[in-house]
Amino acid sequence: MSLRNIAIIAHVDHGKTTLVDQLFRQSGTFRDNQRVEERAMDSNDLEKERGITILAKCTSVEWNGTRINIVDTPGHADFGGEVERILSMVDGVILLVDSSEGAMPQTKFVTGKALALGLKPIVVVNKVDRPDERIQEVLDEVFDLFVNLDANDEQLDFPVLFASGRNGYANENPDAREGDLSPLFQKIVDHVPAPSVDVDAPFQFLVTLLDRDNFLGRILTGRIAAGTLKVNAPIHALDSDGKIIETGRASKIFSFRGLERVPVEEAKAGDIISLAGLTVATVANTIADTSVTTPLEAQPIDPPTLSMRFSVNDSPFAGKESRDNKVTSRVIRDRLFREAESNVAIRITESDDKDSFEVAGRGELQLGVLIETMRREGFELGISRPKVLFREGENGREEPFESVVIDVDDEFSSTVVSKMQRRKADLLEQKPSGGGKTRLVFSAPSRGLIGYHGEFLSDTRGTGIMNRLFEKYGPYKGAIEGRPVGVLISNGSGETVAYALNALEDRGLLMVHPGEPVYEGMIIGENAKPDDLEVNPMKSKQLTNFRSTGKDDAIRLTPPKRLTLEQAIAYIDDDEMVEVTPKAIRLRKRHLDPHERKKASRAKD
């Protein structure tokens, strides 16, 4: 059976996972009567909730005697660590672009990596049935993008299909609105080369993805670069310098069939497989026959640009809401290092006191997903405000910059430009994008974008779309104004009282309900003024023997402002933390005692 290995590249929400679902159905991978969830490839709970692909996944379909291994890749730049490695496993890519939104920053990011590796893309313009489609302009944008990314003549002569993933058709005619995906299957077979490998050479395999199994231990996934591997064959793992890390046997070999990993007795060069039997080998290591001493070249990975401090929860509520006692530094440490093992875009540094860890990654979304995953697993954590990672360059201190593309209704464009410039962003381009919308392109320091997304959605009444991508390291842009308001801090511990909260509503915006447990130093609201204010949310009404008309009416409180995890992380200041437990997300001061806070503030000044 002939073989093809492809990756699907697309921006968030351009429909690649839905398209893969249709490829499954039309290739017979799913039985006609099989009940399959929508977006079957998004198997992680967080992926389903957010509607994005976070983890790269491999799958396989058969069509007319050809087995096509498909890798569904993350479209969000925060998960780019996955994308870079996957591209080394495939021989071709499908570039999926929305018929209205066109080529977006993350499309540029991944496509640039693919073109640099010499891969020849098939361009699929998806969602052609949208009422606001602009197919020809989008194709022109894709061509311009390829030119800007230094594509060669062969890559610029790309085949194009027009499709609707949701309705399950693709065609070379942009006006077609029916049919099936046969043209796409045929284009993959004709345009993507079969793997160019040597089956008779000694076995070699580059690890590109790492997973864990409770029974089998480490599961290493990648493409066999040369040779054949049989179950129980002796193998060893080499690092990038050719040093032997460990020796063992291939206890299990898995090949992909549809959504399943199926055990096989042997696998040949060119196939994408998973392998069990080694305990130390990790991503970017070469697994090979014991006679091989030269490692395969591994794709370099862009550096982390943002870090947060994960610390043991030391609030008065610590341990009250955690399952399985997941509150100690040892348990948190094991979980974080296990994450860093399989996610090469994350870097963990242990502090001297062993009670906190510096976790560096690609962005707020990536680290937010890690925190939310740990919270659901029953962990308790204290999280600091994100900070960018500076480096020393030729001109002194340099900070990371991001390319920011914003699509916004015309009426809100001036507000967005003003807010972005206050955050030290440079406006590079401003042009109408049709339908009463404007496209704005900025170069902005990552530092200035922390916490802006929520404000951006408010400013654009939820209609704006912002896309960010790591651009470069550049000269430090100077101080950026912080949060303009202070917070309301509880001056004691107990349960909040409606009478007290009613009196505090004049001070600012509340974040707690009546009857909610609070502790000293916990943030219960936002002060309307720039300074922090200590308040008593537990104050009860004084009882008297007198009654007067109107005074004892039921208290009506404004619903409190509840922050999501990402909003909370973006909201806090440098002297504050987010307390994350399985049941709650609370804001607090780093120093709960007011005297300690004053001392720390004086020391800072």
PDB file of all heavy atoms in Angstrom, residues 341-354:
ATOM      1  N   GLU A 341       8.379  17.736  30.288  1.00  0.00           N
ATOM      2  CA  GLU A 341       8.886  16.569  29.571  1.00  0.00           C
ATOM      3  C   GLU A 341       8.221  16.428  28.207  1.00  0.00           C
ATOM      4  O   GLU A 341       8.855  16.156  27.205  1.00  0.00           O
ATOM      5  CB  GLU A 341       8.528  15.327  30.400  1.00  0.00           C
ATOM      6  CG  GLU A 341       9.686  14.413  30.686  1.00  0.00           C
ATOM      7  CD  GLU A 341       9.217  13.278  31.585  1.00  0.00           C
ATOM      8  OE1 GLU A 341       8.143  12.694  31.322  1.00  0.00           O
ATOM      9  OE2 GLU A 341       9.902  12.982  32.561  1.00  0.00           O
ATOM     10  N   SER A 342       6.881  16.606  28.172  1.00  0.00           N
ATOM     11  CA  SER A 342       6.146  16.372  26.935  1.00  0.00           C
ATOM     12  C   SER A 342       5.884  17.662  26.161  1.00  0.00           C
ATOM     13  O   SER A 342       5.479  17.616  25.018  1.00  0.00           O
ATOM     14  CB  SER A 342       4.809  15.685  27.235  1.00  0.00           C
ATOM     15  OG  SER A 342       4.038  16.467  28.108  1.00  0.00           O
ATOM     16  N   ASN A 343       6.090  18.818  26.798  1.00  0.00           N
ATOM     17  CA  ASN A 343       5.830  20.098  26.134  1.00  0.00           C
ATOM     18  C   ASN A 343       7.120  20.907  26.099  1.00  0.00           C
ATOM     19  O   ASN A 343       7.461  21.594  27.056  1.00  0.00           O
ATOM     20  CB  ASN A 343       4.734  20.849  26.912  1.00  0.00           C
ATOM     21  CG  ASN A 343       4.263  22.082  26.162  1.00  0.00           C
ATOM     22  OD1 ASN A 343       4.926  22.567  25.253  1.00  0.00           O
ATOM     23  ND2 ASN A 343       3.129  22.600  26.560  1.00  0.00           N
ATOM     24  N   VAL A 344       7.824  20.822  24.974  1.00  0.00           N
ATOM     25  CA  VAL A 344       9.149  21.431  24.918  1.00  0.00           C
ATOM     26  C   VAL A 344       9.111  22.951  24.869  1.00  0.00           C
ATOM     27  O   VAL A 344      10.135  23.606  24.996  1.00  0.00           O
ATOM     28  CB  VAL A 344       9.973  20.903  23.718  1.00  0.00           C
ATOM     29  CG1 VAL A 344      10.299  19.454  23.883  1.00  0.00           C
ATOM     30  CG2 VAL A 344       9.243  21.150  22.412  1.00  0.00           C
ATOM     31  N   ALA A 345       7.921  23.545  24.666  1.00  0.00           N
ATOM     32  CA  ALA A 345       7.829  25.012  24.645  1.00  0.00           C
ATOM     33  C   ALA A 345       7.763  25.578  26.066  1.00  0.00           C
ATOM     34  O   ALA A 345       7.745  26.785  26.243  1.00  0.00           O
ATOM     35  CB  ALA A 345       6.601  25.446  23.854  1.00  0.00           C
ATOM     36  N   ILE A 346       7.730  24.701  27.079  1.00  0.00           N
ATOM     37  CA  ILE A 346       7.662  25.159  28.476  1.00  0.00           C
ATOM     38  C   ILE A 346       8.989  24.879  29.177  1.00  0.00           C
ATOM     39  O   ILE A 346       9.608  23.835  28.966  1.00  0.00           O
ATOM     40  CB  ILE A 346       6.490  24.456  29.205  1.00  0.00           C
ATOM     41  CG1 ILE A 346       5.192  25.179  28.865  1.00  0.00           C
ATOM     42  CG2 ILE A 346       6.681  24.416  30.703  1.00  0.00           C
ATOM     43  CD1 ILE A 346       3.963  24.629  29.534  1.00  0.00           C
ATOM     44  N   ARG A 347       9.424  25.837  30.002  1.00  0.00           N
ATOM     45  CA  ARG A 347      10.685  25.684  30.748  1.00  0.00           C
ATOM     46  C   ARG A 347      10.415  25.916  32.229  1.00  0.00           C
ATOM     47  O   ARG A 347       9.799  26.912  32.605  1.00  0.00           O
ATOM     48  CB  ARG A 347      11.703  26.699  30.208  1.00  0.00           C
ATOM     49  CG  ARG A 347      13.125  26.429  30.640  1.00  0.00           C
ATOM     50  CD  ARG A 347      14.085  27.384  29.970  1.00  0.00           C
ATOM     51  NE  ARG A 347      13.865  28.756  30.401  1.00  0.00           N
ATOM     52  CZ  ARG A 347      14.012  29.824  29.625  1.00  0.00           C
ATOM     53  NH1 ARG A 347      14.346  29.679  28.366  1.00  0.00           N
ATOM     54  NH2 ARG A 347      13.808  31.040  30.090  1.00  0.00           N
ATOM     55  N   ILE A 348      10.853  25.000  33.083  1.00  0.00           N
ATOM     56  CA  ILE A 348      10.592  25.081  34.530  1.00  0.00           C
ATOM     57  C   ILE A 348      11.902  25.353  35.273  1.00  0.00           C
ATOM     58  O   ILE A 348      12.901  24.670  35.036  1.00  0.00           O
ATOM     59  CB  ILE A 348      10.002  23.754  35.079  1.00  0.00           C
ATOM     60  CG1 ILE A 348       8.887  23.217  34.172  1.00  0.00           C
ATOM     61  CG2 ILE A 348       9.550  23.915  36.524  1.00  0.00           C
ATOM     62  CD1 ILE A 348       7.605  23.953  34.207  1.00  0.00           C
ATOM     63  N   THR A 349      11.893  26.347  36.162  1.00  0.00           N
ATOM     64  CA  THR A 349      13.053  26.624  37.020  1.00  0.00           C
ATOM     65  C   THR A 349      12.594  26.622  38.474  1.00  0.00           C
ATOM     66  O   THR A 349      11.646  27.307  38.831  1.00  0.00           O
ATOM     67  CB  THR A 349      13.660  28.012  36.692  1.00  0.00           C
ATOM     68  OG1 THR A 349      13.811  28.130  35.280  1.00  0.00           O
ATOM     69  CG2 THR A 349      15.010  28.185  37.361  1.00  0.00           C
ATOM     70  N   GLU A 350      13.292  25.830  39.298  1.00  0.00           N
ATOM     71  CA  GLU A 350      12.909  25.733  40.711  1.00  0.00           C
ATOM     72  C   GLU A 350      13.553  26.866  41.498  1.00  0.00           C
ATOM     73  O   GLU A 350      14.703  27.223  41.269  1.00  0.00           O
ATOM     74  CB  GLU A 350      13.378  24.378  41.252  1.00  0.00           C
ATOM     75  CG  GLU A 350      12.665  23.941  42.494  1.00  0.00           C
ATOM     76  CD  GLU A 350      12.918  22.475  42.829  1.00  0.00           C
ATOM     77  OE1 GLU A 350      13.579  21.779  42.041  1.00  0.00           O
ATOM     78  OE2 GLU A 350      12.458  22.036  43.882  1.00  0.00           O
ATOM     79  N   SER A 351      12.813  27.445  42.441  1.00  0.00           N
ATOM     80  CA  SER A 351      13.364  28.537  43.261  1.00  0.00           C
ATOM     81  C   SER A 351      14.257  27.964  44.365  1.00  0.00           C
ATOM     82  O   SER A 351      14.222  26.773  44.662  1.00  0.00           O
ATOM     83  CB  SER A 351      12.236  29.354  43.890  1.00  0.00           C
ATOM     84  OG  SER A 351      11.547  28.555  44.830  1.00  0.00           O
ATOM     85  N   ASP A 352      15.046  28.836  44.991  1.00  0.00           N
ATOM     86  CA  ASP A 352      15.961  28.393  46.055  1.00  0.00           C
ATOM     87  C   ASP A 352      15.207  27.820  47.254  1.00  0.00           C
ATOM     88  O   ASP A 352      15.661  26.884  47.903  1.00  0.00           O
ATOM     89  CB  ASP A 352      16.844  29.564  46.515  1.00  0.00           C
ATOM     90  CG  ASP A 352      17.777  30.018  45.407  1.00  0.00           C
ATOM     91  OD1 ASP A 352      18.053  29.187  44.512  1.00  0.00           O
ATOM     92  OD2 ASP A 352      18.210  31.188  45.414  1.00  0.00           O
ATOM     93  N   ASP A 353      14.025  28.403  47.564  1.00  0.00           N
ATOM     94  CA  ASP A 353      13.284  27.927  48.739  1.00  0.00           C
ATOM     95  C   ASP A 353      12.465  26.671  48.451  1.00  0.00           C
ATOM     96  O   ASP A 353      11.814  26.130  49.357  1.00  0.00           O
ATOM     97  CB  ASP A 353      12.357  29.034  49.281  1.00  0.00           C
ATOM     98  CG  ASP A 353      11.303  29.460  48.247  1.00  0.00           C
ATOM     99  OD1 ASP A 353      11.218  28.821  47.171  1.00  0.00           O
ATOM    100  OD2 ASP A 353      10.578  30.422  48.524  1.00  0.00           O
ATOM    101  N   LYS A 354      12.492  26.188  47.189  1.00  0.00           N
ATOM    102  CA  LYS A 354      11.790  24.964  46.759  1.00  0.00           C
ATOM    103  C   LYS A 354      10.268  25.049  46.860  1.00  0.00           C
ATOM    104  O   LYS A 354       9.573  24.068  46.658  1.00  0.00           O
ATOM    105  CB  LYS A 354      12.253  23.734  47.596  1.00  0.00           C
ATOM    106  CG  LYS A 354      13.741  23.510  47.648  1.00  0.00           C
ATOM    107  CD  LYS A 354      14.282  23.067  46.317  1.00  0.00           C
ATOM    108  CE  LYS A 354      15.765  22.715  46.422  1.00  0.00           C
ATOM    109  NZ  LYS A 354      16.389  22.523  45.119  1.00  0.00           N
TER     110      LYS A 354
END
